[in-house]
Amino acid sequence: MPDAGPDRATARKAIALLTGAAGFTEHRPPPSPLPPDGPLGWAGYDAARERASARTGEEESVLYGTGVVGDRACVLLSFEFGFLGGSLGRQTGDRLAAAYELALARRLPLVALVATGGSRMQEGMIALTQLQRVAAASVRLRAAGLPQIAVVRDPTTGGGWATVGAGADVVLALPGAQVGFAGSRVRPPDADPYAYSADGQFEAGQVDAVVPADELTAAVTHWLRALGPHEDLPAAPVPRALSVAGAPVPRALSAGGTESAAGAGTGAGAGTGAGAAKGSGAGTGPGAGTPSAADSGPAVPLPETGREAVARARDPRRPRAEAYLADYFAVRLPLHGDRSGSTDPGLLCGFGLRGDGQPVAYVAQCGTPTRPAGYRAAARTIRLADRLGVPVLTLVDTPGAANDAEAERAGAGAAIADTFAAVAAARVPVTTLVIGEGGSGGALALAAPDNTHVTVDSYFSVIAPELAAAILKRPPSETGATADQLRLRPQDLVDLGFARSIVG
């Protein structure tokens, strides 16, 4: 196994980077000695272990215990790459399993600082089966509603990446880290090294963010605050509407025709609240829910015709998801990619903290046709939020699902079906605001049944009016009349019982 390079932080330094003065309390599993030279009797194995221990000061390739990151208690485990390349043997498995069980017993989140070359060949199949132990321990933690965060260091390869790393709920990577299932000595000689890098894995949607070491503590702290564990969180408040200029719109029209404060909405899911690194999203925004001078202005009029409603939703000056999310959250923490090798830049998802500290998961369409990777990322986000008890906000804005041949080959139908299922199965409250185009099933997949709200510059339709007119063999001049027949205006959606309120 390769030695730790001079620029690689030790396991204890990696922990100290996160905990700082708060410190770390190490735990150890009950003693379980190996037979001489290990389970295979591999000649020289005991001597190699002794040299590794003398060089690193560690008894094994993993240490674990409890600590505080920012203001959040958690269980930390950290790999020592200098100990036989951070490889996993039976005693490593003992420590990993014990770390997960400690998190389960104390109901704490688990943060793994991973740097490993994979399974330890000197222990053969005994080493390899430790991956099954880790997977089982991770499943138990997941079933208990406790979050798992992995920080992948250099290198993170083999079974350690495929369990502790990629199996976490959120995967952060340090810049320049080698990350991949195949280690440098076992991959094809002509393999593109970028595919095995932190940036390459981020681009492929396998890593949520690449975070510099000096920003790691803040990023992990934010994630721990967002993921919990939490108890009985309220529904996500309906966002306030934004005008073309990006300022808040003052009033909201409810299903009963009465006006209420902008963004408050009506019924379930309504309420009030304050709202550098690649993909880290650790930047801050103003947060929603604070009064504005614009709140005293006149309400924006509703569209008089279906054609006008469609034109408003397609207006390039209309605020998009990015503006709404920036207004709604104080801190955003993006989840990146579908974990199947693809990303969709037209769909934003992740977790955020509002101005009052309330965590909310979000899935937001950006006005483009949503691709299969976007739907898979949406389903991933909704299911994670549901498991952790975090309410969900969806922002609907798409002309429809992507319908090109590539999208079909990528499984558009299955991805959309899975998103419908994720919303339908969610036990946490899901709140939806339609902020632009609601294009058929590709938009409806992200809409919460019985808790969807619409803005004055939005529409929702079973089909785009142009396509409906074409199917009905009507001339283009009748597209407006067709739009009226479809009853797609915001006020129509309330009258039909699809939307609960018109915001703005």
Side-chain angles (χ1 to χ4, degrees), residues 19-325:
T19 61
F24 168 71
T25 302
E26 185 174 358
H27 290 240
R28 287 181 172 83
S32 180
L34 295 169
D37 279 332
L40 305 185
W42 188 288
Y45 179 44
D46 284 349
R49 287 179 55 86
E50 289 173 4
R51 289 193 299 271
S53 181
R55 183 170 56 249
T56 63
E58 303 297 346
E59 300 171 351
E60 247 301 340
S61 59
V62 163
L63 58 104
Y64 74 98
T66 55
V68 176
V69 179
D71 57 355
R72 296 287 161 161
C74 60
V75 170
L76 295 120
L77 69 85
S78 186
F79 282 74
E80 176 52 68
F81 190 77
F83 193 103
L84 301 179
S87 57
L88 281 73
R90 199 210 69 196
Q91 290 185 333
T92 320
D94 293 343
R95 289 170 174 244
L96 291 171
Y100 284 88
E101 292 304 316
L102 180 62
L104 184 62
R106 300 198 180 185
R107 290 203 57 77
L108 291 174
L110 181 115
V111 178
L113 308 172
V114 191
T116 174
S119 298
R120 191 172 298 168
M121 63 182 178
Q122 295 94 330
E123 294 191 26
M125 285 302 300
I126 300 301
L128 191 63
T129 57
Q130 302 311 305
L131 305 182
Q132 295 172 320
R133 291 182 70 189
V134 173
S138 176
V139 166
R140 288 191 292 272
L141 206 59
R142 189 174 293 119
L146 295 169
Q148 302 170 48
I149 300 171
V151 177
V152 293
R153 300 147 54 209
D154 183 46
T156 297
T157 61
W161 163 239
T163 51
V164 185
D169 299 318
V170 175
V171 181
L172 310 178
L174 291 176
Q178 178 189 167
V179 182
F181 186 63
S184 59
R185 298 183 185 180
V186 297
R187 66 184 65 140
D190 60 346
D192 178 9
Y194 183 74
Y196 306 86
S197 69
D199 286 338
Q201 295 285 7
F202 175 80
E203 187 176 304
Q206 309 290 1
V207 163
D208 292 304
V210 180
V211 186
D214 60 355
E215 299 176 20
L216 190 60
T217 301
V220 173
T221 300
H222 286 317
W223 272 113
L224 290 171
R225 289 172 180 166
L227 299 181
H230 303 291
E231 299 291 340
D232 300 324
L233 291 175
V238 181
R240 57 184 176 183
L242 302 178
S243 71
V244 168
V249 172
R251 313 296 292 178
L253 184 69
S254 73
T258 59
E259 291 185 347
S260 58
T266 58
T272 60
K278 178 181 292 188
S280 69
T284 59
T290 53
S292 164
D295 291 344
S296 60
V300 175
L302 291 167
E304 295 184 0
T305 65
R307 182 190 292 274
E308 182 186 351
V310 173
R312 280 200 199 181
R314 294 176 179 173
D315 189 334
R317 299 170 299 169
R318 172 182 57 78
R320 267 33 183 200
E322 186 64 47
Y324 275 92
L325 294 174

